[in-house]
């Protein structure tokens, strides 16, 4: 093939490659003159191919067709460049430019690849939406605090607003309340809220966890005992917790753990409003409001004979169900804000959550509910040496196994997400997804729309495991 024909053939091939490429390509010669440019130039730069061909990238940069010019930077340094670029129509682009060398080491020109940032801009939009939602949640919490005068009872979600409505209704009466819900949802918080809003608030609220006291001691703790009623008893006897709740509120937490014999005695006290201390033959009048709570299914326990049906009917007057935290995600950010505020006051610290850390906390299922959330936050605040709490400060269980923790500078302290860092994070995620579903780097290249050598280079850059059969 003659040299002239060879040059024309190569020029035609390169032109076709640029026109068929999924990425926008631009090629200059060694002087910076645009020799080849993709057909999407008007869409990308706001000017046509004809207006670009034959122009020097330095001149195009001066009139802001694109700025800064990655090709100019390569011509000046001889090194590949990747940078953010703005165009005359205010588009933001990610451009990677690479030098083209001859066999003699002379720079023949520069080829640049312009990436579409649609996904990155969408990612930024989502973060901004999340920030607005958090701000809205914070405003709602402040409104609730002003309304209720409470730093503990949080009701942002529809479900918890219904719980608040029930609390408001039962606080004005003495009806027995049964609070239901998983462990850690805050049943004791609701019980205290009812007591504090009730006409018995001047009296004592006595709380006893029926599952935390050994069965042999539980009876005397509940009902009290007379002097000499058993070995080790106080000489003057001792009133039980039910007596201490006289004119106040008795809160029996984990009621499902109460042994059957004591269930019968408790039922009698509820019905007669009087009790006998252990070892006594006389009755003492008591006037208390009963609130009970359990994470057990009392209906099933009644069927199995593990809980008295008559006691169940006595306490199942006004049931209040508290949904698990995973079913009311709107409340999570409110609990986070309240808990951090409390920890700051308690320990004299000022720790803040990075946006990525907050996102992980908001998307965790919280099997331990509010109690687990409070424990995790306290652990992070106390242990971390930094004022900004990053994903690395979280317990491993909270970070999903398929989740890539992005670089710390992805979430800057001023809450501004840089597009370059976000692009690298997105590129890393897409490479990992392709590596998991493709058998070879060639297949990955086809999937991602880039060359196979580019795939290999990027895998090495992000330290993603290479394929064993290549």
């Amino acid at each position: 093939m003659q040299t002239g024909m060879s040059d024309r053939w190569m020029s035609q091939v390169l032109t076709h490659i640029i026109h068929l490429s999924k990425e926008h390509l631009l090629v200059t010669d060694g002087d910076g003159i645009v020799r080849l440019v993709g057909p999407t130039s008007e869409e990308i730069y706001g000017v046509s191919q004809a207006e670009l061909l034959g122009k020097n990238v330095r001149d195009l940069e001066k009139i802001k067709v694109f700025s800064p010019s990655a090709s100019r930077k390569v011509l000046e340094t001889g090194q590949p460049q990747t940078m953010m670029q703005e165009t005359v129509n205010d588009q933001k682009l990610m451009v990677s430019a690479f030098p083209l060398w001859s066999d003699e080491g002379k720079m023949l020109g520069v080829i640049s690849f312009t990436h579409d940032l649609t996904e990155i801009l969408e990612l930024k939009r989502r973060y901004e939406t999340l920030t607005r939602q958090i701000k809205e949640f914070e405003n709602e919490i402040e409104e609730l605090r002003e309304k209720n005068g409470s730093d503990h009872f949080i009701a942002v979600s529809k479900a918890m607003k219904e719980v608040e409505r029930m609390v408001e209704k039962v606080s004005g009466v003495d009806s027995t309340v049964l609070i239901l819900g998983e462990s850690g949802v805050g049943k004791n918080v609701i019980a205290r809220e009812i007591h504090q809003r009730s006409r018995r608030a001047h009296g004592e609220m006595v709380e006893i966890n029926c599952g935390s006291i050994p069965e042999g001691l539980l009876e005397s703790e509940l009902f009290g005992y007379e002097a000499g009623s058993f070995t080790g008893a106080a000489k003057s006897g001792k009133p039980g917790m039910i007596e201490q709740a006289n004119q106040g509120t008795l809160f029996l937490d984990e009621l499902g753990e109460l042994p059957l014999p004591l269930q019968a005695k408790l039922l009698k006290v509820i019905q007669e409003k009087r009790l006998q201390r252990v070892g006594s033959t006389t009755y003492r009048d008591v006037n208390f409001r009963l609130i009970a709570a359990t994470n057990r299914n009392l209906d099933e326990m009644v069927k199995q004979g593990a809980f008295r049906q008559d006691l169940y009917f006595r306490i199942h007057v006004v049931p209040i169900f508290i949904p698990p935290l995973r079913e009311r995600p709107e409340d999570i950010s409110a609990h986070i804000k309240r808990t951090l505020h409390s920890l700051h006051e308690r320990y004299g610290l000022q720790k803040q959550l990075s946006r990525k850390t907050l996102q992980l906390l908001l998307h965790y299922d919280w099997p331990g509910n509010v109690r687990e959330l409070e424990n995790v936050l306290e652990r992070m605040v106390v242990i971390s040496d930094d004022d900004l709490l990053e994903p690395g400060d979280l317990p491993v269980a909270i970070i999903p196994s398929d989740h890539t923790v992005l670089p710390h500078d992805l979430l800057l302290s001023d809450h501004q997400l840089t597009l370059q860092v976000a692009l690298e994070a997105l590129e890393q995620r897409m490479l990992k997804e392709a590596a998991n579903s493709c058998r070879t780097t060639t297949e990955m290249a086809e999937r991602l729309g880039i060359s196979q050598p580019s795939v290999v280079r990027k895998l090495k850059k992000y330290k993603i495991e290479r394929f064993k059969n290549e």
Side-chain angles (χ1 to χ4, degrees):
M1 184 181 294
Q2 297 179 1
T3 303
M5 292 181 62
S6 175
D7 290 344
R8 286 197 301 275
W9 178 85
M10 182 59 69
S11 177
Q12 291 175 358
V13 169
L14 288 175
T15 300
H16 283 301
I17 290 174
I18 288 176
H19 278 254
L20 293 173
S21 173
K22 295 180 181 179
E23 293 182 314
H24 178 77
L25 304 180
L26 185 145
V27 181
T28 75
D29 60 19
D31 295 321
I33 305 298
V34 178
R35 297 302 183 187
L36 291 171
V37 65
T40 57
S41 60
E42 189 157 2
E43 178 185 339
I44 295 293
Y45 300 120
V47 295
S48 66
Q49 287 177 279
E51 292 175 283
L52 292 175
L53 290 171
K55 301 294 196 307
N56 193 296
V57 291
R58 297 178 180 86
D59 296 328
L60 294 171
E61 182 180 25
K62 288 177 182 178
I63 62 175
K64 304 296 184 181
V65 172
F66 42 70
S67 178
S69 170
S71 298
R72 174 189 59 78
K73 195 75 172 175
V74 173
L75 290 168
E76 292 175 355
T77 65
Q79 299 295 321
Q81 302 290 328
T82 296
M83 61 182 63
M84 292 298 304
Q85 192 176 77
E86 292 187 5
T87 69
V88 69
N89 55 0
D90 293 325
Q91 280 189 269
K92 288 181 169 54
L93 310 173
M94 178 64 72
V95 181
S96 297
F98 304 89
L100 303 174
W101 301 98
S102 69
D103 293 339
E104 294 78 22
K106 179 182 178 181
M107 189 183 295
L108 298 175
V110 179
I111 181 169
S112 64
F113 304 80
T114 301
H115 303 273
D116 185 4
L117 292 182
T118 303
E119 287 187 85
I120 299 303
L121 294 173
E122 175 64 15
L123 181 64
K124 185 173 184 290
R125 186 193 66 78
R126 290 179 183 176
Y127 273 105
E128 291 171 346
T129 300
L130 177 62
T131 302
R132 286 196 299 271
Q133 289 176 341
I134 292 172
K135 185 63 178 177
E136 291 172 1
F137 294 155
E138 290 174 349
N139 291 337
E140 288 190 45
I141 293 303
E142 292 303 323
E143 291 175 4
L144 287 170
R145 283 180 177 171
E146 292 176 4
K147 177 181 177 181
N148 299 327
S150 171
D151 287 335
H152 300 286
F153 183 52
I154 289 176
V156 176
S157 65
K158 182 178 179 180
M160 288 306 292
K161 286 180 178 178
E162 176 60 22
V163 170
E164 182 187 29
R165 188 184 72 83
M166 293 293 294
V167 167
E168 188 67 35
K169 290 182 73 70
V170 301
S171 294
V173 296
D174 264 357
S175 300
T176 299
V177 177
L178 177 62
I179 306 173
L180 304 168
E182 293 180 4
S183 179
V185 293
K187 297 186 289 293
N188 57 341
V189 173
I190 300 300
R192 283 194 291 269
E193 194 73 22
I194 294 172
H195 172 72
Q196 290 167 4
R197 297 188 188 190
S198 74
R199 59 190 179 188
R200 292 180 178 269
H202 65 279
E204 189 175 356
M205 176 175 165
V206 179
E207 179 177 345
I208 182 169
N209 188 313
C210 300
S212 65
I213 301 176
E215 184 175 344
L217 298 178
L218 188 56
E219 182 178 9
S220 60
E221 288 294 318
L222 275 174
F223 300 96
Y225 57 85
E226 292 293 343
S229 57
F230 57 87
T231 303
K235 293 181 179 180
S236 59
K238 180 183 176 182
M241 290 187 168
I242 296 177
E243 280 185 69
Q244 293 175 32
N246 191 37
Q247 304 304 321
T249 301
L250 176 67
F251 175 47
L252 298 179
D253 198 7
E254 303 300 345
L255 182 67
E257 308 300 325
L258 192 67
L260 279 169
L262 294 187
Q263 291 179 24
K265 291 194 67 172
L266 176 63
L267 175 62
K268 187 175 182 180
V269 172
I270 295 173
Q271 291 174 331
E272 300 179 359
K273 295 296 182 182
R274 61 177 189 165
L275 60 76
Q276 279 182 308
R277 290 184 179 181
V278 175
S280 175
T281 58
T282 62
Y283 286 92
R284 297 170 183 267
D285 293 331
V286 286
N287 181 354
F288 61 89
R289 199 262 182 85
L290 176 64
I291 301 177
T294 183
N295 60 0
R296 303 280 296 274
N297 187 330
L298 295 184
D299 284 321
E300 286 298 318
M301 293 183 67
V302 169
K303 293 175 183 178
Q304 297 167 4
F307 198 87
R308 292 181 62 100
Q309 187 178 54
D310 47 5
L311 177 58
Y312 175 72
F313 289 139
R314 275 288 179 181
I315 63 173
H316 200 267
V317 179
V318 181
I320 296 179
F321 175 70
I322 307 177
L325 199 54
R326 61 182 172 275
E327 294 180 7
R328 44 188 176 98
E330 305 96 322
D331 294 325
I332 296 177
S333 61
H335 278 289
I336 290 172
K337 185 176 185 298
R338 189 264 294 170
T339 302
L340 284 178
H341 178 74
S342 175
L343 291 170
H344 292 162
E345 288 190 338
R346 189 189 314 170
Y347 298 124
L349 301 171
Q350 286 295 325
K351 301 291 181 76
Q352 301 297 325
L353 300 173
S354 74
R355 195 174 299 182
K356 191 59 188 177
T357 306
L358 177 59
Q359 186 184 38
L360 290 171
L361 291 172
L362 292 176
H363 287 84
Y364 182 54
D365 278 345
W366 298 110
N369 294 294
V370 178
R371 184 182 298 127
E372 181 186 11
L373 173 60
E374 292 174 343
N375 290 344
V376 166
L377 289 172
E378 181 168 3
R379 186 186 319 156
M380 293 171 67
V381 166
V382 171
I383 294 178
S384 176
D385 294 326
D386 299 320
D387 289 337
L388 185 64
L389 302 175
E390 297 285 4
D393 297 312
L394 290 168
V396 176
I398 292 180
I399 303 176
S401 58
D402 60 346
H403 178 81
T404 301
V405 177
L406 302 180
H408 283 354
D409 58 347
L410 173 59
L411 305 170
L412 302 176
S413 58
D414 61 357
H415 304 297
Q416 295 298 316
L417 174 65
T418 65
L419 292 175
Q420 182 172 354
V421 173
L423 178 62
E424 291 178 352
L426 178 63
E427 187 177 62
Q428 181 179 0
R429 177 173 63 81
M430 293 179 69
L431 282 164
K432 285 189 175 183
E433 290 175 354
N436 289 334
S437 58
C438 299
R439 292 173 295 178
T440 65
T441 51
T442 302
E443 187 178 342
M444 283 184 65
E446 183 176 352
R447 167 79 64 84
L448 298 171
I450 59 178
S451 67
Q452 191 268 349
S454 294
V455 169
V456 173
R457 178 173 55 81
K458 292 176 185 296
L459 289 174
K460 183 177 180 181
K461 173 183 176 182
Y462 295 115
K463 298 180 181 180
I464 299 173
E465 186 177 356
R466 297 282 298 275
F467 297 90
K468 296 180 180 179
N469 59 340
E470 287 198 337

